Structures are given as structure tokens and as C-alpha cells.
Amino acid sequence: MQTRLRSEKFFDWFNTLVMLLICFATLYPVWYVLINSLNEGTDAMRGGIYWLPRVFSLESYTTVFKNDGLMTAFGITVAKTVLGTFIHVFFTAMVAYAISQRELVGRKLYLIVGTITMFFSGGLIPQYLLLRDLGLLDTFWVYIFPAMFSFFDLIIFMTFFREIPYGLEEAAKMDGANDFSIFVRVIIPVSMPVVATIALFHGVYQWNDYFAGVIYVNDPNLQPIQTFLYRIVALSGSNQIVSTVTGVTKTVTSQSVKLATMVVATLPIVFVYPFLQKYFVKGFMIGSMKE
């Protein structure tokens, strides 16, 4: 008995140690970037900063926020994240609700065609030509329309919608509600866990996406912050970044500006998680209706 208890304690300590190591390996790179961005630029080039800033300085962040290009890019990113996430979630959920109705004509065909698109696509060049013909290049809407629907997210919505008691829809129809009213007033409110999950996934995608800004947008006033950061990283090997991109004092280097920009670009989306985490709970509908 004592041997068994010792073995269980050993495995408990071992599991705790493994989890601590995983947490450290996950969080330390973020901490390393943060403390180096808070250190004076020229001093940080000497290296040896691992736990705390050696010469504390906010000059890099001052430089970043004085850059009009970055603030414009930040505004574009916020706008496309909020608007793009709302349109994506609403449109995808609406299509998923329609396809989840078993009486829909051609429902199986739609599912087969949609599944094929998950494995095969036309590629970058056909998509570029399509967006060009639609007049979306060098416009804000190039961030919104191509990403407004995802068949993978549709499958997630459909799986959740099938668990909703059909009696809720019947009760709404008896009160005179049409299909759209049922979707907006009944289905969406009781589907907040999956809505929050898809919103978080797509919001993170919209916030982190730099590829669309590189490929489809040439106007610097329409480029998101991740594309702005990409260009800083691309120029980080050259000292010209200090004068041409930021125009800063000698205490700031291209590396320190790059790290500060990374922190500024990352923190907002990190702060969103606590507000959506409360929805990631199963059993949200328990007790909503009694058959």
C-alpha cells in the first residue's frame, strides 16, 4: 500500500514538473521579447538580457507610437478584425442553419461540394485574378469578402445546431416567427458558446493575417499592422529602418523597434481571451427547455 502511495506521489510530482516546464517553454519567449523591448536599444545589442531589462527605456515604444504609419495600420487591423469577424460569424452561421434543416432541397449536394472545397482550391493566381476582376484589390474589402465564409466553421456550427431541441423552433413558429427571426432571436442566443469560439478563431486569424496585405494591397494606408511588422522584420537587417521607417534617436535600434512593434501587435488580441473564455463551457442549454 505504501509503495503504491509513493508511486502515485512520484507521478503527481513528475506531471507537475512537466507542466511547469511546458508553461515555461511557452511563456519565456514572450517574456524575452517584452523585456528586450523595454531595454535601451544600443545596450540591448550587447546581449545578456534574460530576466529583467538592464537599462530600462520606453524610447522604442515612444518611437512606435509616434509613427503615423503604425497607428494607421493599427486602425485598419482593428476595423478588419471587428467587421470581418462579425460578418464571418453571422454569414457562416446563417448558411449552417439553413443547411442543417433536413427538408432543404439539395442539402446533400451542398455538403458534398463544400467538403470538396476543403481539400482542393484554385490556388493563389486564380484567386488573385478573381479579386482583381471583382475590383477588390487595393480596397479594404479585400480583407472581408474572401474570408466571410468557411466550410470548416460551417460544420462546427451545424454540429452544434443539431443539438438544439427542435421544440424551440416549433414554439417560435407557433408565435408567428419566420425562419430569419428564429435564427436571430432563438438560435444565435442559445448558441453563444460556438459563436464565441468561432469568433475567437476568426478574430485571431484576421488580427494575425499579413499575407493579404502583402499580396493584394499596395496602398500603405490600407496595410494592417501585421504587414507593417512584416516590413519592419524584412528591413531589420538594415540600419535604414531607424531613419526611414521610424526616424528616431540613436538610443533606438531596428531590433528594439521590431520587438516593441511585436508587443504592440500582440497584446490587444491577448486581452480578448478572458472576455470570451466564459463561453467555453458545455451545457449552456441545460434547463433551457423541458420536453
Side-chain angles (χ1 to χ4, degrees):
M1 186 66 180
Q2 293 181 352
T3 304
R4 182 180 178 181
L5 292 176
R6 290 177 181 177
S7 178
E8 290 179 353
K9 290 183 179 180
F10 172 77
F11 281 110
D12 289 340
W13 280 103
F14 179 77
N15 291 333
T16 302
L17 179 62
V18 171
M19 293 301 298
L20 289 175
L21 290 176
I22 292 176
C23 291
F24 176 80
T26 303
L27 296 177
Y28 180 74
V30 180
W31 177 251
Y32 180 82
V33 170
L34 178 62
I35 62 175
N36 276 272
S37 67
L38 293 173
N39 199 84
E40 194 268 332
T42 54
D43 179 76
M45 295 180 63
R46 295 164 45 200
I49 301 174
Y50 301 110
W51 301 109
L52 293 173
R54 187 165 49 220
V55 181
F56 182 80
S57 174
L58 294 176
E59 188 66 28
S60 296
Y61 288 92
T62 302
T63 299
V64 167
F65 285 107
K66 284 182 179 179
N67 192 328
D68 295 334
L70 182 134
M71 299 311 297
T72 301
F74 189 83
I76 291 293
T77 301
V78 172
K80 83 183 189 76
T81 299
V82 174
L83 183 61
T85 300
F86 174 80
I87 293 178
H88 174 85
V89 171
F90 185 81
F91 184 78
T92 303
M94 184 168 56
V95 177
Y97 176 67
I99 296 181
S100 65
Q101 303 301 309
R102 299 187 180 278
E103 62 271 15
L104 177 66
V105 178
R107 176 174 173 272
K108 291 185 178 180
L109 177 61
Y110 299 148
L111 292 175
I112 293 174
V113 173
T115 303
I116 293 175
T117 63
M118 294 177 60
F119 299 96
F120 302 98
S121 65
L124 178 60
I125 295 177
Q127 183 175 6
Y128 181 89
L129 297 176
L130 175 62
L131 296 179
R132 184 197 63 183
D133 293 340
L134 293 175
L136 294 178
L137 297 183
D138 271 335
T139 66
F140 175 79
W141 300 107
V142 76
Y143 302 123
I144 307 300
F145 291 149
M148 67 184 299
F149 177 76
S150 169
F151 193 79
F152 180 81
D153 292 343
L154 179 142
I155 294 176
I156 298 176
F157 272 118
M158 284 183 57
T159 303
F160 191 90
F161 290 161
R162 288 173 181 173
E163 298 178 358
I164 298 177
Y166 185 69
L168 289 175
E169 298 181 44
E170 286 184 336
K173 289 180 180 179
M174 292 179 62
D175 291 337
N178 55 29
D179 290 334
F180 186 76
S181 297
I182 294 173
F183 170 71
V184 174
R185 298 181 180 181
V186 178
I187 302 300
I188 291 297
V190 300
S191 302
M192 288 308 298
V194 68
V195 169
T197 301
I198 299 300
L200 179 61
F201 289 163
H202 190 75
V204 171
Y205 161 77
Q206 283 282 10
W207 185 273
N208 291 332
D209 179 40
Y210 78 96
F211 189 74
V214 173
I215 301 298
Y216 305 125
V217 177
N218 293 321
D219 187 355
N221 294 323
L222 290 176
Q223 292 179 342
I225 192 171
Q226 299 300 340
T227 303
F228 185 88
L229 177 59
Y230 166 79
R231 299 191 183 282
I232 287 182
V233 173
L235 293 173
S236 61
S238 173
N239 291 329
Q240 292 181 353
I241 186 175
V242 177
S243 58
T244 61
V245 178
T246 58
V248 298
T249 62
K250 63 181 181 180
T251 60
V252 177
T253 64
S254 60
Q255 180 71 10
S256 64
V257 173
K258 179 178 69 174
L259 296 177
T261 307
M262 291 173 62
V263 173
V264 172
T266 304
L267 285 182
I269 198 65
V270 172
F271 290 147
V272 174
Y273 278 88
F275 296 99
L276 295 180
Q277 190 177 16
K278 62 181 180 180
Y279 293 107
F280 302 156
V281 180
K282 294 183 179 179
F284 184 82
M285 292 184 55
I286 294 178
S288 64
M289 177 179 177
K290 294 182 180 180
E291 294 287 351

